[in-house]
Amino acid sequence: MHSITSTLEFAQQTAREAGELIKRLRQSELRTDFKKGIELVTNADTEADRFIRQCIEREYPDHQILAEESNPDLDSIEFDGRCVWVVDPIDGTVNYAHNHAQVAVSIALIIDGNIEIGVVYNPFTDELFHAQKSKGAFLNNRPISASDKQDLERAIIATGFPYNKQAQLPILINRLHKVLQHVADVRRLGSAALDICWVACGRLDAYYESVSLWDCAAGLLIASEAGVQCGHFIKPESTQYAHLESKHLLLSNHQLYPAIEEILRNT
Ligand code: IPD
Ligand code: CA
Ligand code: CA
């Protein structure tokens, strides 16, 4: 029987080892491909996914795994009374393949539909964000918290865009246009997991985007434990697992949330 503390240690250790692996692979010859002709993927994405999966299967053989490269099918997952690992082996693949530093391994554990553990590790800056439910959020073991900015005109807000953006371009640009009219500036950093962790540690004031569960699961716990308000600017269908909905995410400090929600609503 594993304790939650030893499971958190396992997740941190696995994220660190996967981080070392992708760091090493970037120094050797990288092979790139395009999923469905548009979505960049490298051999490091698949190798890190396999590594993390093997670690989990060895330690927790009866747990389920939702992982971007090896099992991205959310319909194959049952949350009810079950333990589910949610893995993005490389979040920020485009950054990774272009030698940028904004890249992370993201690992979360969901138990009975609640995110209990979240770990996001950037091996290029050696920054490890982690949270355990009700125990606070940490960057390299130091407590972190959301910004306390109140003035929307001074706010720095991150977002991102899907790989397949043509059909949604008018909506995405309209949203960006509206947000830019009201805030100091916008960032597109290229890793949703890190965008969320950066809101959690106050480097950013807010973040909005539609992503997949593996992009945001670990970050959502880290952010909410850091005092970030985590919600949706278009409300998801109200189901038991609405809090796991990864579309139309809005994360912000509490002071700015209502104003940003108002701007993004109806977009
Ligand atoms: C992507 C990044 C990016 C976000 C995309 C994601 P990937 O993940 O998180 O910031 O805008 O929507 O797909 O493909 O690098 O794992
Ligand atoms: Ca991702
Ligand atoms: Ca990925």
Side-chain angles (χ1 to χ4, degrees):
M1 191 57 184
H2 296 86
S3 68
I4 195 80
T5 311
S6 71
T7 304
L8 172 62
E9 279 165 13
F10 163 82
Q12 289 174 307
Q13 183 64 20
T14 305
R16 278 192 189 284
E17 287 175 16
E20 287 314 311
L21 173 67
I22 65 172
K23 214 171 142 180
R24 205 171 56 241
L25 287 172
R26 189 155 89 167
Q27 283 153 8
S28 54
E29 212 172 306
L30 215 54
R31 291 187 305 280
T32 55
D33 202 348
F34 289 90
K35 291 189 238 175
K36 296 179 204 141
I38 33 176
E39 194 169 332
L40 186 66
V41 63
T42 73
N43 55 311
D45 292 77
T46 39
E47 285 185 41
D49 190 300
R50 188 179 322 121
F51 171 78
I52 297 167
R53 171 174 285 279
Q54 282 169 351
C55 291
I56 296 170
E57 284 173 348
R58 206 166 37 232
E59 207 63 35
Y60 304 94
D62 54 338
H63 289 189
Q64 299 174 85
I65 306 173
L66 178 78
E68 182 176 12
E69 308 307 334
S70 56
N71 178 27
D73 180 11
L74 196 52
D75 290 339
S76 71
I77 300 296
E78 240 178 74
F79 290 112
D80 215 8
R82 304 288 302 273
C83 292
V84 181
W85 291 89
V86 182
V87 176
D88 193 341
I90 300 184
D91 185 55
T93 295
V94 174
N95 285 346
Y96 178 76
H98 291 81
N99 275 317
H100 300 196
Q102 196 73 348
V103 173
V105 176
S106 176
I107 301 177
L109 176 63
I110 300 180
I111 303 176
D112 196 20
N114 296 308
I115 311 170
E116 297 287 341
I117 284 172
V119 175
V120 173
Y121 179 55
N122 181 343
F124 299 102
T125 57
D126 196 24
E127 290 192 317
L128 189 138
F129 295 86
H130 85 264
Q132 183 189 327
K133 191 147 189 229
S134 310
K135 300 278 186 196
F138 302 84
L139 163 53
N140 288 346
N141 290 321
R142 293 209 178 90
I144 52 173
S145 56
S147 82
D148 58 4
K149 203 168 286 165
Q150 308 206 0
D151 187 353
L152 189 59
E153 282 178 20
R154 299 271 176 252
I156 306 293
I157 296 192
T159 189
F161 311 106
Y163 287 93
N164 193 353
K165 50 188 151 322
Q166 283 316 321
Q168 295 175 59
L169 212 48
I171 295 173
L172 295 168
I173 297 300
N174 180 39
R175 252 175 223 151
L176 192 59
H177 186 144
K178 284 192 164 176
V179 169
L180 259 174
Q181 280 177 323
H182 293 93
V183 304
D185 208 349
V186 166
R187 294 285 179 274
R188 198 287 186 249
L189 296 167
S191 161
L194 287 173
D195 289 337
I196 295 172
C197 289
W198 279 32
V199 178
C201 70
R203 291 177 188 169
L204 295 165
D205 301 302
Y207 161 78
Y208 74 92
E209 191 177 358
S210 287
V211 291
S212 298
L213 188 55
W214 51 80
D215 300 303
C216 65
L220 282 174
L221 179 64
I222 293 165
S224 67
E225 287 294 322
V228 173
Q229 187 166 347
C230 302
H232 303 89
F233 58 91
I234 296 176
K235 293 277 165 275
E237 215 180 297
S238 97
T239 64
Q240 196 184 352
Y241 302 119
H243 59 287
L244 298 179
E245 175 57 61
S246 58
K247 302 289 171 256
H248 308 119
L249 284 179
L250 171 58
L251 284 82
S252 168
N253 74 13
H254 283 268
Q255 294 91 327
L256 297 174
Y257 192 99
I260 303 172
E261 187 186 32
E262 185 60 38
I263 292 166
L264 288 171
R265 195 182 287 150
N266 309 319
T267 57

